[in-house]
Amino acid sequence: MAYKSILTVLTDDTEVNAVLDAVIPFAADAKAHLDVLCLGIDRTQTGYYFAGATALMHDETLAQAQAEAKRIEEAARDRLGRSDISWGVEALVAQSASVTPVVARRARFADLVMLPKPYGPDLPSDAPVLVESAMFQGQAPVIVIADGKPATLNPKKIVVAWNESNEAMAAIRRAMPMLVAADLVNICIIAPERHGSETTDPGDELSKMLSRHGATCEVSLLPQTLPRVSEVLKRHVADQNADLLVMGAYGHSRFREAILGGATRNMLEHCEVPVLMAH
């Protein structure tokens, strides 16, 4: 499988250049078409105004969201116009509650979604919704862009977080083009005794599968020496000087179809390399 349709979603005009500077080279290497969704979010909720609120307030917040979408679109068109890739731009306004179906529908028809980190001190609380919508409802693989290393179609070293789960296998299958192209794929298994492997050699079956595709693999078995699995994994990624982490996305929610679980959130918040996830 090749990545021929790539999607990114922008919700802040100040992040346009940073995100597109990361995404455009990847799309160029993949010879892919890049779709950019410029989303102005109206964070008011119809039906939840305080007493005395009027339609005028709704009109004002809607106008602000429309102006934001226009600023994002203009900045995106300016940056994309200086590239030589195939691209398209769409500007929309959505209330917070309707962001999920808007993003999910477009992610559903993308081979890959590339998004900025969803967690940080200056980010709005609905920033994770973009990642969640693309993965859980849109069923698309997502690369979360890191501040440290750029996302590349041909990473030299990849760490795969393997725990025999369906989510981890989904991520591996979606990452196959990069796994095959890498110089080395490190299959990382933390506390292997917990996963109940039916083989005496954890990681052996996955290593064989990837090797038959042409990937060069090694297996690392690590004890959980830190309180969180994500902390052990983050340290291992740094020790390996990896260019990419591939992992399953785990979620839980009674109110929505899925919300990123704590381990996934912690990994995304602190990892310094791009993370490819799928569910």
Side-chain angles (χ1 to χ4, degrees):
M1 170 190 153
Y3 307 120
K4 292 304 178 185
S5 294
I6 298 175
L7 170 71
T8 192
V9 184
L10 301 169
T11 60
D12 185 344
D13 62 308
T14 63
E15 69 180 8
V16 170
N17 285 331
V19 173
L20 293 183
D21 284 349
V23 175
I24 288 173
F26 189 101
D29 288 343
K31 297 180 174 58
H33 175 87
L34 173 62
D35 283 311
V36 180
L37 176 59
C38 305
L39 201 57
I41 301 178
D42 176 3
R43 293 182 171 86
T44 60
Q45 299 295 322
T46 302
Y48 292 88
Y49 294 115
F50 57 83
T54 66
L56 182 61
M57 177 180 291
H58 174 66
D59 290 343
E60 182 178 341
T61 57
L62 180 61
Q64 291 173 352
Q66 289 172 332
E68 179 72 7
K70 184 176 180 180
R71 287 194 299 270
I72 297 170
E73 179 186 14
E74 290 174 348
R77 288 186 180 277
D78 177 68
R79 177 62 186 88
L80 289 162
R82 291 181 273 115
S83 72
D84 56 1
I85 65 169
S86 170
W87 56 271
V89 171
E90 181 181 17
L92 291 176
V93 171
Q95 283 198 312
S96 293
S98 61
V99 168
T100 291
V102 168
V103 173
R105 178 167 180 79
R106 286 150 184 83
R108 184 181 183 188
F109 298 100
D111 297 321
L112 182 67
V113 181
M114 300 182 71
L115 296 169
K117 271 189 175 183
Y119 301 106
D122 300 321
L123 295 178
S125 59
D126 52 21
V129 173
L130 302 181
V131 176
E132 294 164 8
S133 302
M135 282 194 303
F136 295 126
Q137 286 81 17
Q139 291 293 297
V142 174
I143 288 183
V144 175
I145 302 165
D147 299 328
K149 293 190 176 183
T152 172
L153 185 64
N154 300 298
K156 292 184 177 180
K157 192 164 191 179
I158 300 175
V159 169
V160 172
W162 179 235
N163 61 358
E164 299 194 4
S165 68
N166 292 335
E167 292 85 354
M169 183 57 81
I172 289 164
R173 293 190 190 281
R174 298 300 188 93
M176 194 65 74
M178 288 182 284
L179 295 171
V180 172
D183 291 345
L184 182 63
V185 176
N186 178 271
I187 299 170
C188 175
I189 305 172
I190 299 171
E193 68 278 1
R194 295 180 185 173
H195 306 314
S197 175
E198 296 180 359
T199 68
T200 56
D201 189 1
D204 178 63
E205 292 172 319
L206 177 60
S207 180
K208 286 179 181 177
M209 186 191 89
L210 294 178
S211 296
R212 287 166 185 157
H213 282 275
T216 302
C217 304
E218 66 179 13
V219 178
S220 294
L221 305 179
L222 305 178
Q224 185 176 338
T225 54
L226 295 171
R228 294 183 178 182
V229 170
S230 58
E231 294 172 335
V232 178
L233 183 57
K234 178 178 178 290
R235 185 175 64 182
H236 182 68
V237 168
D239 290 344
Q240 292 290 312
N241 194 26
D243 303 302
L244 177 72
L245 170 65
V246 175
M247 62 180 286
Y250 308 96
H252 58 81
S253 176
R254 293 183 181 181
F255 304 102
R256 291 175 50 187
E257 187 171 331
I259 292 176
L260 290 173
T264 307
R265 171 180 176 141
N266 187 265
M267 199 67 237
L268 293 183
E269 188 171 4
H270 299 291
C271 197
E272 297 177 355
V273 303
V275 181
L276 186 148
M277 298 185 301
H279 179 73

